[in-house]
Amino acid sequence: MSTLADTAIEILRENDRGTYTVPTKGLYPFQWNWDSCLTALGQHHFDEDRAWREIETLFDNQWPCGMVPHIVFHQMDDGYFPGPQVWATGRPVPTSGITQPPVAGFSLKRLFDRAKDTALAEARVKALLPKVAKWHRWFYETRDPRGEGLVAIIHPWEAGRDNSIDWDEPFERVPTEGITPYVRRDTQHANPAHRPTKEQYDRYLWLVEHFRGLGWDTSKLHDASPFQVVDPGFNAILIRSCADLADLADHLGEAELARENRQFAEKGIAAMETLWSEPHGQYLCRDRTRETLVDSASVGGLLAAFCAIPTDRAAAIARTIDNHGTWFRVASHPPQDSRFDAKRYWRGPVWLVINYMIADGLRRAGEVDAAAKITASSLDLIRESGFAEYYDPMTGEPLGGGRFTWTAAMVLEFLSMEQ
Ligand code: GLC
């Protein structure tokens, strides 16, 4: 009988396209940004060289301005919508025109710290370091125009939590008139009841067409977007990556990059306080177009634990997760909220990548039991339901795509932590 680790490696190999890995066959046939950076952690357990390559391929497709796109369309495939013709970004290898959670800095440090082949690791990090630093600089220059220390996303897909309840209210400000008629592909691969709605898709598309109309000039898009949301989870990932990159830069004698990234991280941590909600016991999103906090206690506000928030905040987050009372942790939305939907994508289901980052942050903050419970729950899900895209937090039912790449990568990570 094959072990969980064997199956995880088999899935990572099956979805490997040589220099990048697809999230799963059919539903997602290209390279996704944060999927790749987290997938590399799994690959590193059995092939160090291949793990570095995964991240390098992504950065080969970095835009001259510094942005790293959320999808790289390496090979044509009509199984996915919106494809390269809709984005029309004019890149040599076609890409989308928005970004995704910048977890690369964190992944680089983790790969580096664990490397058996240190000479190989130093050479690979040295080449990637300035590219990741350029991406971080791009964020603070284009997505934090007032220098608050926190960046905004301008499309829900950037958060990686596509249809979270967090976006419902800010999305009301995004029109749908005039969009080109389209046919969705995702609902041909997965159950439509577990995916975003048509109304949400219309708004996703309106934003894409609006940005395309501005020639994908990333210096203009933030101010021109009716959707500008400061997501605590997204910012925590950026802050953690800045701090990790600063450590790596110090190690490699890149003092200026270290100073710059440490400053981003310190300013960011201080600014995170403005997103804290005492009644919810967690952080919340801020709608930047209104300067109001969004009343939605999603997992984005728990993911904030991934960066070095104060320890009392981390302890409160651990309690909030306990209060969800779900059988499996961590629900992407609390079941106590009437908008919770146990099976619909980011409106309730559990995602292993999110579990991994929350557990990692809580452990660092000293919340060792809370981290261990998340790890155990994640592995229980795999044993009971296999390597799915996401899971019902009440029943553990596997949902979305199957034989999922980043789920497999996280399993290798969780197993190595248990040892
Ligand atoms: C979905 C997820 C996003 C992920 C992508 C590929 O769009 O919401 O976070 O990157 O699928 O797995």
Side-chain angles (χ1 to χ4, degrees), residues 84-119:
Q85 299 81 354
V86 178
W87 291 95
T89 55
R91 296 285 305 150
V93 176
T95 72
S96 72
I98 56 173
T99 192
Q100 250 191 339
V103 73
F106 160 78
S107 295
L108 283 196
K109 174 146 192 321
R110 189 132 290 185
L111 296 189
F112 184 80
D113 288 347
R114 283 196 198 143
K116 293 195 193 78
D117 189 341
T118 15

Side-chain angles (χ1 to χ4, degrees), residues 329-366:
R329 307 174 172 228
V330 177
S332 46
H333 208 79
Q336 292 77 10
D337 187 326
S338 59
R339 297 166 294 182
F340 167 82
D341 186 339
K343 299 194 198 300
R344 205 183 274 277
Y345 217 31
W346 291 97
R347 301 175 78 87
V350 174
W351 293 70
L352 252 60
V353 281
I354 302 289
N355 279 7
Y356 174 74
M357 290 184 273
I358 296 178
D360 182 88
L362 288 179
R363 189 176 309 104
R364 286 205 325 164

Side-chain angles (χ1 to χ4, degrees), residues 2-17 20-25 39 42-43 46 50 382 385-389 391 401-412:
S2 70
T3 64
L4 282 190
D6 292 336
T7 312
I9 294 172
E10 196 182 288
I11 292 172
L12 289 174
R13 292 213 160 111
E14 187 177 293
N15 293 334
D16 186 350
R17 299 290 173 270
Y20 68 96
T21 311
V22 298
T24 186
K25 270 189 291 200
T39 296
Q43 291 170 326
F46 59 96
R50 180 63 188 79
I382 301 294
S385 305
F387 293 73
E389 186 178 5
Y391 304 86
R403 294 183 76 75
F404 218 86
T405 295
W406 67 4
T407 305
M410 294 303 100
V411 168
L412 294 175

Side-chain angles (χ1 to χ4, degrees), residues 5-291:
D6 292 336
T7 312
I9 294 172
E10 196 182 288
I11 292 172
L12 289 174
R13 292 213 160 111
E14 187 177 293
N15 293 334
D16 186 350
R17 299 290 173 270
T19 53
Y20 68 96
T21 311
V22 298
T24 186
K25 270 189 291 200
L27 188 59
Y28 304 115
F30 312 109
Q31 181 176 27
W32 263 259
N33 184 325
W34 72 327
D35 293 63
S36 268
C37 294
L38 294 163
T39 296
L41 301 177
Q43 291 170 326
H44 202 247
H45 290 280
F46 59 96
D47 188 343
E48 291 199 16
D49 179 64
R50 180 63 188 79
W52 292 109
R53 191 77 204 104
E54 185 74 24
I55 302 180
E56 287 160 355
T57 306
L58 181 67
F59 278 85
D60 286 348
N61 291 283
Q62 183 170 30
W63 286 21
C65 63
M67 186 187 77
V68 183
H70 100 293
I71 307 175
V72 184
F73 300 104
H74 291 282
Q75 269 182 1
M76 292 312 106
D77 190 314
D78 342 318
Y80 179 83
F81 177 86
Q85 299 81 354
V86 178
W87 291 95
T89 55
R91 296 285 305 150
V93 176
T95 72
S96 72
I98 56 173
T99 192
Q100 250 191 339
V103 73
F106 160 78
S107 295
L108 283 196
K109 174 146 192 321
R110 189 132 290 185
L111 296 189
F112 184 80
D113 288 347
R114 283 196 198 143
K116 293 195 193 78
D117 189 341
T118 15
L120 173 85
E122 278 208 8
R124 307 299 270 266
V125 169
K126 236 189 159 75
L128 280 165
L129 195 73
K131 298 181 183 179
V132 181
K134 189 169 181 186
W135 190 22
H136 292 174
R137 201 172 304 130
W138 172 84
F139 266 117
Y140 290 105
E141 277 169 12
T142 63
R143 300 302 184 83
D144 180 18
R146 290 195 296 266
E148 296 166 12
L150 297 173
V151 301
I153 54 160
I154 57 171
H155 193 297
W157 289 341
E158 290 198 314
R161 298 185 293 114
D162 305 15
N163 68 338
S164 166
I165 291 164
D166 291 350
W167 327 130
D168 290 3
E169 208 184 289
F171 236 15
E172 282 167 21
R173 287 180 262 299
V174 176
T176 54
E177 290 79 38
I179 52 167
T180 315
Y182 63 93
V183 179
R184 282 172 71 170
R185 302 283 179 196
D186 58 316
T187 42
Q188 295 165 357
H189 300 286
N191 184 341
H194 305 166
R195 299 281 308 174
T197 62
K198 167 157 180 7
E199 289 67 39
Q200 283 159 346
Y201 246 80
D202 286 352
R203 291 188 159 92
Y204 298 148
L205 265 299
W206 188 90
L207 285 171
V208 170
E209 292 187 7
H210 179 57
F211 299 150
R212 188 180 65 203
L214 295 165
W216 295 113
D217 177 346
T218 67
S219 66
K220 295 200 183 123
L221 303 188
H222 174 277
D223 289 358
S225 179
F227 181 92
Q228 299 168 3
V229 179
V230 177
D231 168 14
F234 190 97
N235 276 278
I237 291 174
L238 177 56
I239 291 167
R240 174 76 181 267
S241 282
C242 286
D244 284 354
L245 202 76
D247 285 352
L248 281 174
D250 267 338
H251 183 87
L252 295 172
E254 297 282 355
E256 183 45 35
L257 288 189
R259 194 198 51 80
E260 183 187 27
N261 278 275
R262 196 148 289 126
Q263 236 172 37
F264 288 149
E266 280 164 12
K267 191 168 172 187
I269 298 269
M272 284 286 281
E273 271 303 290
T274 62
L275 306 179
W276 179 257
S277 161
E278 201 54 44
H280 288 293
Q282 66 167 85
Y283 298 84
L284 298 178
C285 285
R286 188 195 308 125
D287 183 342
R288 193 176 263 172
T289 66
R290 298 280 156 114
E291 289 306 348

